[in-house]
Amino acid sequence: MKVNLRIPTNLNDVTLAQYQEFAKLETKLDETNDTAIQLKIIEIFCKVPEVVVRNMKATDIAEICEIINNMFDTEHQMINRFKLDGKEYGFIPQLDDMSFGEYMDLDTFIGDNDNLHRAVNVLFRPIEHKRGNRYTIKDYNPDTSEDAKEFPLGVVLGAIVFFYSLGKDLSMVMLNSLDKKNEKALAQHLISQQSGDGLIPSMQSLTEILQDLKISLN
């Protein structure tokens, strides 16, 4: 069967929504069933119906999966600005200007694949004004989080790796920038996250999923 499909070769050819869809299925799939995993990889990342994938040549399936595997097997680079649907988005310019609510949403959702777009919505927002390499972004609006599902995956993963590399430094930035009332609330939040649900454990969980994806394609 002859099939025309678009094979992504760069993580920015994939949306966060596609990653979330696969991550949700990945936990339900039998890890020993490589063919089921390969089917879903092509269905989701190449945007073709399952019935079409089932009628493709087995050799083509293996070749396409290898291409997608290589796409994930890259270092994630931090990208400060990108354009989507005619709108330019920018990474939050000043971490120490982050509000308590922004930090709470970021730390709460960054390790939750189903709600990762809500964390990304904190990090990237439409640019309002720019001059050279400097810019300002719109105020944080939790109601626009659905838009983040269409953000390029490469941009998203680069930002997450960046925050993972900050580790506890991010917490200290927030503690130093908040007033006493919010400082106490943040400290309590950080203590409650030490059981394994905080920023660093969340990133480790995401990394494990990416590693599992590469292993399953071998």
Side-chain angles (χ1 to χ4, degrees):
M1 179 180 182
K2 187 175 182 179
V3 179
N4 292 321
L5 73 165
R6 183 171 176 270
I7 305 170
T9 56
N10 185 293
L11 285 175
N12 287 326
D13 294 333
V14 175
T15 66
L16 173 57
Q18 287 174 286
Y19 168 76
Q20 288 176 305
E21 183 181 359
F22 182 80
K24 185 182 296 185
L25 287 172
E26 196 263 351
T27 60
K28 300 176 182 178
L29 293 172
D30 182 353
E31 291 182 2
T32 62
N33 191 344
D34 290 342
T35 56
I37 295 174
Q38 289 176 332
L39 186 150
K40 286 301 179 182
I41 286 171
I42 295 179
E43 179 186 353
I44 293 170
F45 293 117
C46 296
K47 299 181 181 180
V48 290
E50 179 178 328
V51 64
V52 173
V53 181
R54 286 180 175 275
N55 283 288
M56 293 172 60
K57 288 183 179 180
T59 53
D60 290 341
I61 296 292
E63 201 173 305
I64 294 170
C65 284
E66 184 177 357
I67 292 172
I68 296 176
N69 177 42
N70 292 334
M71 176 185 70
F72 275 91
D73 191 17
T74 57
E75 291 187 6
H76 307 304
Q77 302 296 324
M78 180 62 189
I79 298 174
N80 290 322
R81 293 187 291 182
F82 68 94
K83 289 185 178 180
L84 180 67
D85 296 332
K87 187 182 296 184
E88 188 171 16
Y89 291 83
F91 186 80
I92 185 169
Q94 296 292 334
L95 290 178
D96 54 1
D97 286 342
M98 192 184 300
S99 72
F100 177 63
E102 289 170 334
Y103 176 81
M104 291 284 284
D105 284 353
L106 174 61
D107 189 51
T108 299
F109 299 120
I110 201 167
D112 180 355
N113 285 316
D114 290 341
N115 289 292
L116 186 55
H117 57 286
R118 298 175 69 174
V120 175
N121 188 50
V122 177
L123 299 178
F124 290 98
R125 292 172 235 161
I127 291 177
E128 282 191 313
H129 308 287
K130 63 179 180 178
R131 178 178 294 179
N133 292 326
R134 306 184 70 177
Y135 58 87
T136 60
I137 56 176
K138 289 188 175 181
D139 292 338
Y140 175 53
N141 180 1
D143 295 334
T144 62
S145 63
E146 288 295 310
D147 295 342
K149 288 185 176 181
E150 298 306 312
F151 286 1
L153 184 59
V155 171
V156 172
L157 295 183
I160 293 175
V161 169
F162 172 72
F163 268 91
Y164 175 60
S165 68
L166 287 179
K168 293 183 180 179
D169 290 343
L170 177 60
S171 303
M172 296 310 299
V173 167
M174 293 304 301
L175 284 170
N176 290 333
S177 64
L178 295 171
D179 58 35
K180 291 297 182 182
K181 181 179 179 181
N182 280 337
E183 180 180 328
K184 182 178 179 181
L186 177 60
Q188 291 174 338
H189 174 73
L190 293 172
I191 291 171
S192 71
Q193 298 300 307
Q194 288 178 359
S195 61
D197 296 326
L199 183 64
I200 294 178
S202 299
M203 185 56 208
Q204 289 173 337
S205 175
L206 180 61
T207 302
E208 288 171 1
I209 289 175
L210 292 175
Q211 290 298 326
D212 287 344
L213 175 60
K214 288 189 281 188
I215 292 171
S216 70
L217 290 172
N218 289 337

